[in-house]
Amino acid sequence: MIVREWLFLTMAACDAAEPWQLGFQDAATPMMQGIIDLQHNIFFFLILILLFVLQILVRALWHFHYQKNPVPQRIVHGTTIEILRTIFPSIIPMFIAIPPFALLYSMDEVVVDQAITIKAIGHKWYRTYEYSDYNSSDEQSLTFDSYTIPEDDLELGQSRLLEVDNRVVVPAKTHLHIIVTSADVLHSWVVHSSGVKCDVVPGRLNQISISVQREGVYYGQCSEICGMNHAFTRAPET
Amino acid sequence: MADEIELKTAPADFRFPTTNQTRHCFTRYIEFHRCLAAKGEESYECARFAKYYRSLCPGEWIEKWNEQRENGTFPGPL
């Protein structure tokens, strides 16, 4: 019972949306790990501030209830407290802002020697992937389409509305350069575990640099409304 | 593994440091064709540019540009 649960938790990482999930999926890249750590950091201070404000509010409601305190005081201003309650809430976000800026600029670092370039082209309502690093002519790319498997064709154990027929296969622990574009309308290429969300614009190539640190299957969903089957467009990678 | 597979692809170009790589792909394509025009069809240096633009540009864009070049309607400084 307990031992089996412990084994289960260490063997299976959460790389796809789970029912009633509240937290993030497990990180597969340093970028996502940075985002998760940042969120934990800020959430801690958020809770402290929330408790502080709630405490003041509840105290005020409790002690100055009209039955316990029928005669209200007529305090109009208090200079010291006004200065303090302006300055401290300005300083706190300044300190909270330091880790996000560090993460933001480190996410923008350009990796000079990427190992492989993969192109993801968004269509309504599927993806096309091209691997063309080793072409010797213009026509030879390894190209394939990736459609979501309809519910009727699922096999036992596959996730509904997450699996596709051809997954993108990427090498682990290598710097990937992913270039996304669209063939028709706006889409967004998202893989939650890798911390990737990039809008896909027709006529424009957007680049994403990631380095997946562990092997696994990571699922993603389209994040920009693109028509009827927007909710059913997927991007899982292996 | 017996022989190491070497992974190589188009390097990051400092002329295009931002997320938008459209001009990067277009510039590599133009560089390749200018190289061909300058050095002839079979030159080795031009193959490098060819690899770069093939890595970066989607196949549909390359087909469209090749057609435009054949028609003489390519909108770039070849």
Side-chain angles (χ1 to χ4, degrees), chain B:
Chain B
M1 289 207 183
D3 44 344
E4 286 286 321
I5 302 176
E6 200 200 330
L7 295 175
K8 267 189 350 176
T9 185
D13 193 342
F14 67 91
R15 297 175 292 176
F16 309 100
T18 54
T19 305
N20 186 0
Q21 296 286 294
T22 321
R23 293 307 289 192
H24 188 186
C25 143
F26 191 60
T27 305
R28 291 292 191 202
Y29 184 80
I30 290 182
E31 279 173 354
F32 172 66
H33 286 286
R34 278 182 166 178
C35 174
L36 280 190
K39 296 214 160 68
E41 289 286 321
E42 293 302 322
S43 137
Y44 175 66
E45 294 103 24
C46 299
R48 206 165 44 99
F49 291 123
K51 284 172 78 67
Y52 294 165
Y53 85 75
R54 283 179 194 138
S55 286
L56 290 168
C57 307
E60 288 154 354
W61 291 22
I62 297 179
E63 282 163 21
K64 188 178 72 171
W65 290 339
N66 286 343
E67 262 182 52
Q68 285 178 334
R69 268 191 314 115
E70 275 153 33
N71 295 341
T73 55
F74 183 71
L78 276 179

Side-chain angles (χ1 to χ4, degrees), chain A residues 67-110:
Chain A
Q67 277 173 352
K68 282 172 55 175
N69 194 26
V71 180
Q73 284 182 300
R74 294 184 186 281
I75 298 180
V76 183
H77 56 238
T79 314
T80 321
I81 192 171
E82 281 174 12
I83 292 178
L84 288 177
R85 74 166 182 223
T86 309
I87 302 229
F88 277 122
S90 328
I91 294 181
I92 292 173
M94 277 195 244
F95 281 109
I96 291 181
I98 296 172
F101 274 108
L103 181 65
L104 192 65
Y105 284 104
S106 71
M107 276 165 64
D108 262 350
E109 289 284 333
V110 179

